[in-house]
Amino acid sequence: MDDSKIQLFEDKRIRTAWDAENEEWLFSIVDVVGVLSEQPTQRGATLYWGKLKQRIIEEGSELLTNCQQLKMKAADGKRYNTDVANAEQLLRIIQSIPSPKAEPFKMWLAHIGSERINETIDPELTIERALETYLKKGYSREWINQRLQAIQVRKELTDEWDNRGVQKGVEYAILTDEISKAWSGMTTRQYKTLKGLKKENLRDNMSTLELVLNMLAEATTTAISRKELPKTFAQNKAVARAGGEAAGEARAAVEKRTGEPVITSQDAVDFSRLISNVIEDSIDKPGK
């Protein structure tokens, strides 16, 4: 746990910790509650959180049974056990805060819920939302097309794993790492570390070439699995490794031809900046 991070909300400090195992941020509940309920002191925030906990229990929620405590540094420099929550738990807690500052969060949650219901009725809306989100983040349409194709390739692979009896969660993660190690030389977590990522999606931070090779690895794994019909998890691991190795061979061929490494530490911010520079250059030099 890295609990040295301080986030700011309206100039108020929110203590946070990064849970590398579950790849999620944890937030000091008393800090968030104190800001949203406009408590003037830390003691006031602590007392408010105590009353709010009781209210949540009375509402019949089992949320607090899943919350945990971490030692976090207080204003006096000492570390004390502090209730923390992940984003999902925190949003549920916010729903129980009767405060004008919490109202925008509640409206946002209602909006998101309505969107998800509509997308369940019409799945095409999910694709449209993804396209709009990537465009707002500054990705090129060419990259977006590749990314949406990568989603389809991944879906075909996970459907095949389902057919082969692979369990979602840990087994999916193990097989994904087998594919990643075979073509890139790194597990998914090592790859994210190289790019300086935490919660962010790895594929959203790949270059076009990285994305294409990852797609090749997963598509090849699907094709091999459909041919060999693995029956055990060990056999599925072997198939995943074989699919990744095929893409690894392609990667080696590309690097030999270009003389440059395929794997890059660049992330989405770097790619967006690169796109912006290209656009600016084209504006400055329209005749070239």
Side-chain angles (χ1 to χ4, degrees), residues 57-71:
I57 293 172
E58 291 172 354
E59 289 173 353
S61 173
E62 297 183 0
L63 168 75
L64 299 180
T65 61
N66 296 320
C67 289
Q68 56 180 304
Q69 287 191 331
L70 292 177
K71 282 190 177 296

Side-chain angles (χ1 to χ4, degrees), residues 269-284:
V269 174
D270 296 315
F271 298 138
S272 179
R273 187 181 300 116
L274 177 62
I275 292 169
S276 297
N277 290 341
V278 171
I279 293 174
E280 289 172 3
D281 287 345
S282 66
I283 293 175
D284 292 339

